[in-house]
Amino acid sequence: MRHLLLIAMPLFALLLGAAAPAMEDSEKEIERYRAMIDDPMANPGYLAVDRGEQIWSLSRGTKSATLEACDLGQGPGVLDGAYARMPRYFADADQVMDLEQRLAYCMRSLQGLDLKDIVARRFGSPGKTSDMEDLVAFISNKSQGHKLAAPLAHPKEREMYAIGEAMFYRRSAINDFACATCHGEDGRRIRLQALPNLTRPSLQVQQVMGTWPAYRVSQSQTRTMQHRLWDCYRQMRMPPPDYLSEGLTALSVFLAHNGEGATINAPSIKR
């Protein structure tokens, strides 16, 4: 056995040495692939932008009203730069909301809309579009080029930040995972995918937070941050969080402030 170990150890070291440049080459190929697909003219996410624009001005609900009077934080109907300043506290709801929560609030209060169908179609699939994903694509695109600057002045915004930070590090479920398990250190990866460290303000976090919503090539759908966080919980084998829940908003607040200053590029396109 001792002789086998003496033979195996140099071989193992040789394999490790070969793996490093192989991973570097793989990462370069992934970056080259990203550059190839990063073309707004070839991004199917812009189809969602067009659909969202139509939904924004569509009269619906018991009040037969549009969403054009919805206040996203910059004043009723003002979309320019609104997404870049969310999640945020809204006095009329006395709540910190992300964009999807705020849209649901406006659908109920302004349109008198039953949200059952909206929630049932919260995530699109082949042959089934999502009003929420389309609206988020349209509204986020109005912040294109703006810097992410979600406010942290109101006590409830600071409270949500603290809750989001605690959730980020909380281990749970059968794998005893937390968000920080994958995104808590520099240099981590899963298979060929580099995993950004999201624990502190950095360019890595900015690159993440500035590029959602995004069209996922692998899913053929435009996805929002709510879906991204929901899917992370699914992959950690945790109970799926409720759509529009305050917990998802709290995580978004934490991540948004770590990514403060990110340039919004939405909808982007990802693998």
Side-chain angles (χ1 to χ4, degrees):
M1 180 62 72
R2 184 166 175 268
H3 291 300
L4 287 174
L5 286 173
L6 289 173
I7 295 171
M9 286 175 65
L11 179 60
F12 184 61
L14 181 64
L15 291 173
L16 281 178
M23 286 193 293
E24 290 177 7
D25 291 343
S26 297
E27 188 62 32
K28 288 178 182 177
E29 288 301 309
I30 291 173
E31 288 303 321
R32 191 168 72 89
Y33 167 71
R34 287 172 177 158
M36 289 171 59
I37 64 175
D38 189 18
D39 179 359
M41 298 304 294
N43 183 351
Y46 279 83
L47 298 175
V49 172
D50 292 341
R51 291 193 299 268
E53 184 175 15
Q54 295 177 354
I55 296 170
W56 178 257
S57 58
L58 181 65
S59 296
R60 296 193 295 182
T62 59
K63 300 180 181 180
S64 189
T66 72
L67 287 170
E68 293 168 311
C70 182
D71 185 352
L72 299 179
Q74 307 302 301
V78 179
L79 301 181
D80 187 46
Y83 179 74
R85 295 167 179 82
M86 297 179 78
R88 64 181 301 143
Y89 173 76
F90 290 91
D92 54 2
D94 191 29
Q95 186 179 344
V96 178
M97 296 176 166
D98 71 354
L99 178 54
E100 285 164 270
Q101 280 184 312
R102 187 61 181 174
L103 286 170
Y105 177 87
C106 287
M107 288 173 179
R108 286 191 299 263
S109 60
L110 295 178
Q111 296 182 303
L113 193 64
D114 183 352
L115 297 184
K116 183 177 180 180
D117 176 61
I118 300 294
V119 173
R121 293 185 296 112
R122 60 195 180 280
F123 305 140
S125 59
K128 184 180 74 173
T129 60
S130 163
D131 287 8
M132 279 297 196
E133 288 176 337
D134 291 346
L135 282 166
V136 172
F138 166 61
I139 294 166
S140 65
N141 186 245
K142 294 296 183 181
S143 286
Q144 188 85 348
H146 286 254
K147 299 294 185 181
L148 180 61
L152 202 61
H154 194 277
K156 289 199 173 185
E157 291 168 344
R158 295 193 292 271
E159 179 185 33
M160 289 293 271
Y161 177 92
I163 293 171
E165 183 178 29
M167 290 178 63
F168 186 87
Y169 288 100
R170 185 179 186 276
R171 304 175 75 98
S172 186
I174 60 173
N175 288 336
D176 194 33
F177 272 17
C179 302
T181 305
C182 292
H183 298 287
E185 294 179 12
D186 294 334
R188 286 190 171 175
R189 61 195 307 120
I190 179 168
R191 297 183 293 276
L192 297 179
Q193 179 65 47
L195 298 171
N197 183 349
L198 304 179
T199 60
R200 61 180 184 273
S202 68
L203 179 61
Q204 290 184 69
V205 194
Q206 289 180 344
Q207 289 172 338
V208 171
M209 297 307 293
T211 54
W212 289 95
Y215 180 81
R216 297 297 302 269
V217 174
S218 58
Q219 300 176 16
S220 301
Q221 299 293 326
T222 301
R223 298 307 193 193
T224 66
M225 180 54 72
Q226 284 250 350
H227 182 277
R228 175 66 273 179
L229 294 175
W230 173 86
D231 199 38
C232 282
Y233 273 96
R234 179 191 65 82
Q235 293 179 67
M236 289 190 286
R237 304 299 187 265
M238 290 190 185
D242 291 339
Y243 184 62
L244 306 177
S245 66
E246 291 187 353
L248 290 182
T249 300
L251 269 175
S252 294
V253 171
F254 173 69
L255 294 172
H257 284 281
N258 284 350
E260 187 172 5
T263 300
I264 303 296
N265 174 26
S268 69
I269 184 167
K270 297 179 182 284
R271 60 174 180 81

